[in-house]
Amino acid sequence: MKIPIKILLFFLTTLIIFFSFGFNHIGKFITADEHLWIYDRIPKYWKAIQEQAWEKTYVHEKPGITLSIISGTGLLKYPNPSDYLKKNKASEVGTTQPLENMLAAFRIPILIFNALFSLYLFWIIRKITKNYWIAIWSIIFTLLSPIILGTSQIVNADSILWSFSIATLLSFIAYLENNEKKFLILTSLFLGLSMLTKFTATILIPFLFVVLLIFYLEKIHENKENDLAKKIFRFSWEYFLVVAGSMAVFTILLPASFFRLKRYLYDGTIGYSTMPFVLLPITILVILLIIEYVWVKNKFSLIFLQKIGPFWEKYSKIIYLTLLLIFLITILNYIFGKDFLNLEKIPFDARQGGIFKKENIFKKIILEARPTVFSLTPPVILFCLLLWAKSLFLNFKEKFLILSLSLFVIVYNAALLQQNLLNIIRYNVIIYPIFSILAAIGIYYAIPENNKAKYFRPATTILLIILSLISLRSIKPFYFNYTNFMLPKKYLVTDSWGYGGYEAAQYLNPLPDVENKSAWSDYYGFCDFFRGKCTSDYSVLQNEIPPSFDYFVFTRRGEIIYNQKMSKKSYVKKHKNMPQIKTYYEKTSPKWEMKIGERPENYIKIFAK
C-alpha cells in the first residue's frame, strides 16, 4: 500500500501533535487505582512470569493483563516501584521529580502503544473503505480526541481497551468484506487481547455474530444463492474459530487459566456475567446453520433472508434515527442553560447509581448518553449527526460499516442499562473511536464530488487539525476532563479524578518550613506530591477537635465520598468527630483554588487551619 505523500504528512503531523500534548504533564498527576497497578498488580504479573509461577499471573478481575504487559516496560527502569516510592517521597527528598519520572515511565509506554497502534487502525479503515481520506480523518479525530489522549496518559485498563476493541470490530468487518484469512486471524488475536484487557470486552463475542447477521441481510441481493449459502456455512464455523482462537490468546497470556479453567478462562470469556444466556442461543443457531448447509444448502435460511430483507432495508434506519434523536435531545436539554428534563438531580458520578435505577427508561437513555455527547469534540458530533441524518434517506457504499458501528453504540449502552449502571466517560472510552470513524465518513459525503474536491479535502484536513488543537488547548493539561462548549459551565460530566493535586502541592511546597507542615486531603492526587506530612485517612480526624492539620485539600469527588460516609448512621456513630470538616466544604474563601475547565463544580481547594 503506497500512501500518498499528503496523507502521510497529515498522519505524521497528527502523531507529532499527539506526542506533544501527550508527553506534557504526564508525570504530574495521580488518578484513582493507578497506585494499585503500578505498585502491586503490574509487578505481581511480571514477577509471576519471571519465577514461572504461572498460577499467580491472575492479578486482578479486570484482568488487565495487556495493561501489565505494556505498562510493565516501566519495570525495566523501576523494578521495585513500592520501594522506590518509599525512598523517594517528596516529603523525604524535598522534590517531586523522582516520583514524576517513575510515573512517566509507566505511562509513556501506553501513550506510545496507542500512537503506534493507530497505524493498524489507519490501514484497516482504508482497507474497508478503500478511501485514504476517511482513514486519515478517522485517525485525526481519534488521536486528537482529548478523551482518548487523556486516557492514554493513565495506567488503567480502559486506556488500551479502546484500541483492541475497535481493532476487533474492524478486522471482522474487513474479513467479511474482503474474505481474506489474515483478517480472521487478526480478529481472534484482538478479541483475545480485548478480553485480556477488560472482561467487559466479552460483549464483542455476541456482537460479532450480530455483525454477521447484518452482513447476510445487506448482501442477500448481491450474491447468488449458492455463493451466499457457502458463505453462511463457512462464516458459521469460522465464527467458532474466532471465539476459540481468542480464548487461546487469552490462555497463553494468562497462564493461570490452565490452573483454574472455570474461574479464570471460562468466567473471563464466554462465561462472564450474562454471556452464557446470550451465547447459548447463538451457539445453537450457528450449529443449526452448519447442519442446514450439509442437509439442504441453507435453503430455509436463504428464504428467510429474502423475506426479511425488505423489512431490514426499511427498518434498519431506526438505528440512525435513534442515535440522532438521543444526541439532539441531550444537547437541546442543556445547551440553552436549562435542564428541561430535570436530569441534574442525578449526578453523573457512578457512585450515585441508586438514584439512577428509579428513573423511567427515557431518562435513563438520555443519562447514559450525557457523558458521551458532551465529551466528544463539536466537529465529531456535527458530522456524526449529518451522517445519521443523510443515512435515513441515502445508502452509502460504507453502509455495512456505518450500520455495524452505529448499532454497537446502541448495544453497548443497552448493556449498561440492563445492568442499571450509570454511565461515566471512563466506561465509554471503548466507543469513542467509533464516533471518530462515523464522523470521518460524514465529512467525506459532506464534500461534493467535483473537481474542487481535491482542494477541499486537504483544506478540510488542515481545518480539522486546527479545531482539534483548539479543543486540546482548551483543557490542557487535564485532557480527560474535556467537556465541549455545548454543556453550560455550571454542569459537569466528569470530575478531576486526581487532576489538580500536583498543582495544589506546588502551591504549598515553596512555603516556609513546609517540611514540618501537615495536610489532610479527601482524595487521590495531592499527598504524593506534597513535601510535608500528608494523609487521606478519615479516622485520624477523630483525634482532635478541630483536627490538627495545617491545611485541608478538598475536591468534588472527595466531597461526595465524605457525604456518603456521613449519610451512614453506623459510620457517624463510630466516627463521632467526622462532621468537624463539614464546615470547610461550606467555606467560600479558600487559600488556593483551581477550577478545571473553568467549571466551578470541578474544583480543588486548599484551606488553612
Side-chain angles (χ1 to χ4, degrees), residues 272-284:
Y272 178 73
S273 186
T274 59
M275 279 301 115
F277 302 101
V278 177
L279 293 178
L280 180 60
I282 290 177
T283 302
I284 293 172

Side-chain angles (χ1 to χ4, degrees), residues 273-539:
S273 186
T274 59
M275 279 301 115
F277 302 101
V278 177
L279 293 178
L280 180 60
I282 290 177
T283 302
I284 293 172
L285 181 55
V286 172
I287 292 172
L288 288 176
L289 288 173
I290 294 172
I291 294 173
E292 186 196 11
Y293 178 81
V294 175
W295 181 33
V296 289
K297 303 300 180 186
N298 292 115
K299 176 182 177 181
F300 300 111
S301 295
L302 291 172
I303 292 173
F304 175 77
L305 288 171
Q306 288 170 349
K307 293 289 185 182
I308 202 174
F311 291 95
W312 169 255
E313 178 66 25
K314 182 178 180 180
Y315 292 106
S316 62
K317 297 182 185 297
I318 291 175
I319 295 170
Y320 308 132
L321 183 61
T322 299
L323 289 168
L324 195 62
L325 289 176
I326 289 173
F327 267 60
L328 289 175
I329 291 171
T330 306
I331 292 170
L332 291 173
N333 183 62
Y334 285 98
I335 198 167
F336 299 110
K338 305 289 184 181
D339 175 20
F340 299 108
L341 296 176
N342 195 26
L343 300 180
E344 283 304 303
K345 67 179 181 181
I346 306 172
F348 70 86
D349 194 287
R351 299 174 192 269
Q352 306 292 327
I355 313 173
F356 172 72
K357 294 176 184 178
K358 299 175 184 177
E359 290 301 320
N360 61 56
I361 187 63
F362 172 72
K363 285 192 175 182
K364 282 183 177 180
I365 291 172
I366 303 303
L367 285 165
E368 295 288 24
R370 179 174 62 182
T372 306
V373 171
F374 294 116
S375 57
L376 291 170
T377 58
V380 170
I381 294 175
L382 173 63
F383 289 108
C384 279
L385 292 176
L386 182 64
L387 179 67
W388 292 325
K390 295 181 76 170
S391 295
L392 291 173
F393 308 100
L394 303 172
N395 285 330
F396 303 113
K397 67 181 182 69
E398 297 85 6
K399 182 184 175 185
F400 176 46
L401 175 64
I402 298 168
L403 270 172
S404 299
L405 297 183
S406 297
L407 184 58
F408 184 77
V409 174
I410 293 175
V411 169
Y412 184 78
N413 281 277
L416 292 175
L417 276 174
Q418 188 271 330
Q419 296 180 46
N420 265 318
L421 184 63
L422 180 56
N423 201 1
I424 58 174
I425 288 173
R426 186 163 54 89
Y427 296 161
N428 244 19
V429 166
I430 189 174
I431 63 174
Y432 279 79
I434 288 177
F435 292 114
S436 296
I437 297 168
L438 293 174
I441 299 172
I443 293 173
Y444 187 79
Y445 288 105
I447 299 175
E449 277 287 353
N450 53 40
N451 293 332
K452 294 181 180 179
K454 63 181 180 180
Y455 302 110
F456 283 154
R457 286 168 187 158
T460 299
T461 309
I462 294 170
L463 179 60
L464 292 179
I465 291 174
I466 292 172
L467 291 175
S468 297
L469 280 168
I470 292 171
S471 294
L472 288 170
R473 289 282 300 176
S474 71
I475 195 63
K476 181 184 177 182
F478 310 117
Y479 311 112
F480 201 65
N481 273 198
Y482 174 77
T483 308
N484 61 49
F485 72 87
M486 289 182 286
L487 186 70
K489 294 291 187 182
K490 61 183 177 180
Y491 299 127
L492 294 179
V493 290
T494 185
D495 60 26
S496 61
W497 205 42
Y499 281 149
Y502 173 86
E503 285 73 16
Q506 290 301 100
Y507 170 78
L508 293 176
N509 284 342
L511 298 180
D513 198 33
V514 69
E515 295 82 2
N516 297 314
K517 300 292 183 179
S518 61
W520 186 87
S521 177
D522 64 7
Y523 199 63
Y524 301 99
F526 170 78
C527 283
D528 287 315
F529 295 108
F530 181 53
R531 288 174 53 201
K533 299 177 180 65
C534 187
T535 184
S536 296
D537 186 356
Y538 277 81
S539 63

Side-chain angles (χ1 to χ4, degrees), residues 36-38 40-47 49 57-60 62-75 106 109-110 155-157 160 196-197 253-254:
L36 298 174
W37 287 106
I38 295 173
D40 179 35
R41 297 166 188 167
I42 293 174
K44 182 180 177 182
Y45 177 79
W46 281 106
K47 182 180 179 182
I49 294 294
T57 53
Y58 186 88
V59 295
H60 190 254
K62 280 192 186 296
I65 300 304
T66 54
L67 175 67
S68 299
I69 293 171
I70 295 169
S71 183
T73 54
L75 293 172
F106 285 91
I110 299 172
V155 183
N156 186 282
I160 49 178
L196 281 165
T197 305
L253 294 179
L254 181 55

Side-chain angles (χ1 to χ4, degrees), residues 114-327:
N114 282 338
L116 295 180
F117 198 80
S118 67
L119 292 167
Y120 178 78
L121 297 181
F122 174 84
W123 176 72
I124 196 73
I125 293 169
R126 190 266 168 191
K127 186 73 175 179
I128 295 170
T129 63
K130 310 292 189 297
N131 191 303
Y132 282 111
W133 291 108
I134 292 176
I136 189 60
W137 292 334
S138 297
I139 298 305
I140 289 171
F141 279 141
T142 300
L143 288 187
L144 302 190
S145 159
I147 299 300
I148 291 294
L149 194 149
T151 195
S152 297
Q153 289 185 318
I154 300 170
V155 183
N156 186 282
D158 296 293
S159 301
I160 49 178
L161 177 63
W162 67 268
S163 297
F164 292 134
S165 298
I166 191 62
T168 303
L169 278 175
L170 294 176
S171 298
F172 193 64
I173 291 170
Y175 172 65
L176 297 177
E177 292 271 29
N178 297 280
N179 198 22
E180 296 180 29
K181 296 293 184 184
K182 62 186 176 185
F183 294 118
L184 195 68
I185 296 170
L186 288 168
T187 303
S188 285
L189 172 64
F190 292 131
L191 178 58
L193 294 174
S194 297
M195 293 187 294
L196 281 165
T197 305
K198 199 170 182 179
F199 288 147
T200 52
T202 53
I203 193 175
L204 292 167
I205 301 177
F207 190 77
L208 291 182
F209 181 74
V210 173
V211 171
L212 200 53
L213 293 180
I214 295 174
F215 179 80
Y216 295 151
L217 289 166
E218 288 295 314
K219 304 300 179 180
I220 182 67
H221 301 299
E222 298 178 16
N223 292 267
K224 295 179 180 179
E225 285 192 9
N226 289 340
D227 291 341
L228 188 58
K230 289 178 182 178
K231 285 184 178 180
I232 291 175
F233 172 68
R234 190 174 76 254
F235 290 161
S236 294
W237 66 264
E238 285 178 344
Y239 172 76
F240 282 141
L241 285 181
V242 166
V243 177
S246 69
M247 293 177 70
V249 173
F250 188 96
T251 307
I252 291 169
L253 294 179
L254 181 55
S257 302
F258 287 110
F259 297 88
R260 306 189 71 170
L261 292 174
K262 167 65 172 64
R263 182 179 174 188
Y264 295 159
L265 179 59
Y266 176 77
D267 289 348
T269 55
I270 58 176
Y272 178 73
S273 186
T274 59
M275 279 301 115
F277 302 101
V278 177
L279 293 178
L280 180 60
I282 290 177
T283 302
I284 293 172
L285 181 55
V286 172
I287 292 172
L288 288 176
L289 288 173
I290 294 172
I291 294 173
E292 186 196 11
Y293 178 81
V294 175
W295 181 33
V296 289
K297 303 300 180 186
N298 292 115
K299 176 182 177 181
F300 300 111
S301 295
L302 291 172
I303 292 173
F304 175 77
L305 288 171
Q306 288 170 349
K307 293 289 185 182
I308 202 174
F311 291 95
W312 169 255
E313 178 66 25
K314 182 178 180 180
Y315 292 106
S316 62
K317 297 182 185 297
I318 291 175
I319 295 170
Y320 308 132
L321 183 61
T322 299
L323 289 168
L324 195 62
L325 289 176
I326 289 173
F327 267 60

